[in-house]
Amino acid sequence: MRSRIEDVAAAAGVSMKTVSRVLNNEPNVRDITRERVMRAVEQLQYKPNLSARSLAGQRSCVVALVYNNPSRNYLMEIQNGMLEACRANHYNLVLGPVGSGTQRAADIKGLFEYFGPDGVVLIPPLTDDPVVLAYLQEHGVPFACIAPREPQNHIGVMMEETAAVVELVAGLIALGHRRIGHIKGPRAHGACQWRYAGYRQALRTAGLAYDPRLVVQGEFSFESGMQGANRLLDLPDPPTAIFAANDDMAAGVIRAAGERGVSVPRELSVCGFDDTPIASHIYPALTTVRQPTSEMGRLATLELLDRIRTPDGGRMVHVQHTLLFRDSTRAPAH
Amino acid sequence: MRSRIEDVAAAAGVSMKTVSRVLNNEPNVRDITRERVMRAVEQLQYKPNLSARSLAGQRSCVVALVYNNPSRNYLMEIQNGMLEACRANHYNLVLGPVGSGTQRAADIKGLFEYFGPDGVVLIPPLTDDPVVLAYLQEHGVPFACIAPREPQNHIGVMMEETAAVVELVAGLIALGHRRIGHIKGPRAHGACQWRYAGYRQALRTAGLAYDPRLVVQGEFSFESGMQGANRLLDLPDPPTAIFAANDDMAAGVIRAAGERGVSVPRELSVCGFDDTPIASHIYPALTTVRQPTSEMGRLATLELLDRIRTPDGGRMVHVQHTLLFRDSTRAPAH
DNA sequence: TTGTAAGCGTTATCAG
DNA sequence: CTGATAACGCTTACAA
């Protein structure tokens, strides 16, 4: 049979409460006592019963990852990072997919009624969702945001996306490109505004005029990348380079170019954002920006746990990007 | 405050135990009583407390997905399917990544000590892992397998992979291909033996000789697909078509061909297996076999829950494959 | 610094 | 068929 806290107490010659104090890192225990308890825990291979702990402690020891439509790869990376942080802190991770439209309010309500997570991590595009944010704030649920549009109001993790894109587009300009197209991400994603801002800023810095015809709206999907590319390449004066706001769309651009007989990178340079596996698996390999996504999941969870444990704990952490110039970009033809 | 079972009992004018009986679909409750209780549950918006239930009921209401190194897309699909089945049955899903080598025994032990899942779903390559299977059997833990090498001994889900590959390779032969290469998946994956068997069977049926030089070992990775393709294309008499045991390797084949100036599908036909997103996002789009992966996760979970609830419950479910002939295959050049 | 006793919200036992 | 009462293993008062 599995050992209980009572057995540990007996073995260490102390009371249950003292064992509980040691296990929860509470103060007011002498070091000697603490050690004695730890030894008993070791010997008996004691593992706390999570259900009992939750029931008595009126907390769930659960954090939820709440999401809606993210790219599978992105979600998987975030999830892995969160899992790591959860395990290290004896928390459990619950997945909280929510539907769209009116469904999402009901879904998040159900998640809380059922699992009662002690806190929540939000990823785009839900990071900026007013319905979800309102629910969490009203119910006083601690939450951490990944890549929110308004970082100053929240705790969580972010990357300087604008700066990253400025560097990326400046790289294209340095190669000699003067007409650079952009395929935007969906409006609901706050991050896409940062990426668009970086595109414009890079042009401005280089003294290049902004041509609105070179900017088209995408939806982050491969197909929307193809459509966007076709629109841009149909222009009387088409761009020599296209920056798509994510890798899936950039892959769509490469595919569309291939189908039109436009050679990448000889006749068209393409770059994306995220460095998902597809970026290095398509031909030619994609120039893109790498986010430390898994690390962002881990850090967001850490900040969330901080906030859970202390009312004003947690802050907005910044992580670094990495530019990856690969085979899909080159100096323009002439 | 959240309503408890006691409140429901009071509202319905019955005892707590009777409410519990109704909630757990236990027998020995009159229909009238049952209805009365249900109405009270509705009115009070009663939701059971999971921790209390686990503590008292000596079960965790948790099923674990135990995995090791699968493709991210595959894992994500399985996970989604499991999540659906778990939610529908008021079970919680816990992710159980395990390391390799000696680590995996410790990891799975830790998973059980910590979460005590009521059952486990195994996916390749862990489905066939003797260490993991031994642990589960010794501890009497119910488990379901996805795509196991020895389906007759387990409950879970499988697809007729051999038959699928026979159809696929027969398709290549029908196009006129006579020298067809194969890049195998890792040995630890039982499924790869089925795929290899299908390749050989299709050749045999068509009366084509088996040439061992046309079969190379891969590791399911994009890179190993590139390596395998290079080895096959370096042969004095290279194949006109290559069947890679999964899509990532097939994508690697296309990339390697591109880098050598070999045109796909004009000079080389390529096909994969799984229909992951990359299959439709690379250029040319990949001919492949679709598995209903998410559905497999869902079905495996249902069989597992059946087995958890009744000692001999659960069986090996078969699911259908779908052949997808796309742009990466064509009749050979001459 | 430590211990005692009373819950936490269910399910299981066993009696009606 | 139904109900009172004792677990389940832990934490939180409160006492010492």
Side-chain angles (χ1 to χ4, degrees), chain B residues 225-271:
Chain B
M226 287 187 68
Q227 286 165 19
N230 280 321
R231 281 185 52 197
L232 292 172
L233 295 175
D234 280 339
L235 288 175
D237 191 7
T240 61
I242 294 178
F243 159 53
N246 77 346
D247 287 347
D248 281 354
M249 293 198 296
V253 172
I254 289 183
R255 166 72 153 279
E259 294 186 351
R260 296 171 70 110
V262 172
S263 164
V264 175
R266 202 164 49 75
E267 299 170 271
L268 179 71
S269 285
V270 179
C271 47

Side-chain angles (χ1 to χ4, degrees), chain B residues 38 45 75 88-89 96 111 118 140 184-185 201 276 294 296 305 312 327:
Chain B
M38 291 306 269
Q45 290 264 44
L75 179 59
N89 289 275
L111 182 75
D118 295 335
K184 295 168 85 168
Q201 187 179 319
T276 54
S294 159
M296 289 171 81
L305 293 179
D312 274 333
D327 307 331

Side-chain angles (χ1 to χ4, degrees), chain A residues 220-242:
Chain A
F220 267 0
S221 66
F222 179 84
E223 289 71 22
S224 73
M226 287 187 68
Q227 286 165 18
N230 280 322
R231 280 185 52 197
L232 292 172
L233 295 174
D234 280 339
L235 288 174
D237 190 7
T240 61
I242 294 177

Side-chain angles (χ1 to χ4, degrees), chain B residues 83-296:
Chain B
L83 209 50
E84 193 184 329
C86 283
R87 291 292 152 87
N89 289 275
H90 296 289
Y91 262 75
N92 192 0
L93 175 62
V94 157
L95 300 173
V98 304
S100 48
T102 54
Q103 190 58 38
R104 69 192 193 287
D107 284 346
I108 198 164
K109 186 156 168 281
L111 182 75
F112 273 87
E113 287 175 345
Y114 200 69
F115 293 109
D118 295 335
V120 163
V121 168
L122 256 27
I123 62 175
L126 244 39
T127 338
D128 303 309
D129 186 311
V131 172
V132 172
L133 292 176
Y135 183 95
L136 297 175
Q137 273 151 355
E138 273 170 30
H139 293 253
V141 180
F143 64 97
C145 296
I146 292 181
R149 189 180 315 195
E150 296 172 359
Q152 62 281 11
N153 300 332
H154 304 299
I155 67 166
V157 189
M158 63 173 295
M159 201 180 78
E160 305 295 347
E161 308 206 23
T162 302
V165 173
V166 166
E167 286 179 47
L168 184 68
V169 174
L172 293 174
I173 294 170
L175 284 172
H177 292 280
R178 291 297 171 265
R179 286 186 67 70
I180 300 172
H182 176 44
I183 305 180
K184 295 168 85 168
R187 292 203 153 71
H189 272 71
C192 296
Q193 306 199 343
W194 303 130
R195 296 178 195 177
Y196 173 61
Y199 165 77
R200 294 204 59 169
Q201 187 179 319
L203 295 185
R204 200 179 317 122
T205 304
L208 294 177
Y210 169 72
D211 181 348
R213 291 171 310 162
L214 288 179
V215 177
V216 300
Q217 184 69 45
E219 293 303 327
F220 266 1
S221 65
F222 180 84
E223 289 72 21
S224 73
M226 287 187 68
Q227 286 165 19
N230 280 321
R231 281 185 52 197
L232 292 172
L233 295 175
D234 280 339
L235 288 175
D237 191 7
T240 61
I242 294 178
F243 159 53
N246 77 346
D247 287 347
D248 281 354
M249 293 198 296
V253 172
I254 289 183
R255 166 72 153 279
E259 294 186 351
R260 296 171 70 110
V262 172
S263 164
V264 175
R266 202 164 49 75
E267 299 170 271
L268 179 71
S269 285
V270 179
C271 47
F273 201 102
D274 284 342
D275 192 35
T276 54
I278 198 174
S280 40
H281 290 175
I282 55 176
Y283 183 78
L286 202 57
T287 289
T288 189
V289 176
R290 180 160 179 39
Q291 297 197 62
T293 314
S294 159
E295 181 66 2
M296 289 171 81

Side-chain angles (χ1 to χ4, degrees), chain A residues 78-93:
Chain A
I78 293 289
Q79 184 180 297
N80 285 340
M82 287 190 67
L83 208 50
E84 194 184 329
C86 284
R87 291 291 151 89
N89 289 275
H90 296 289
Y91 261 75
N92 192 359
L93 174 63

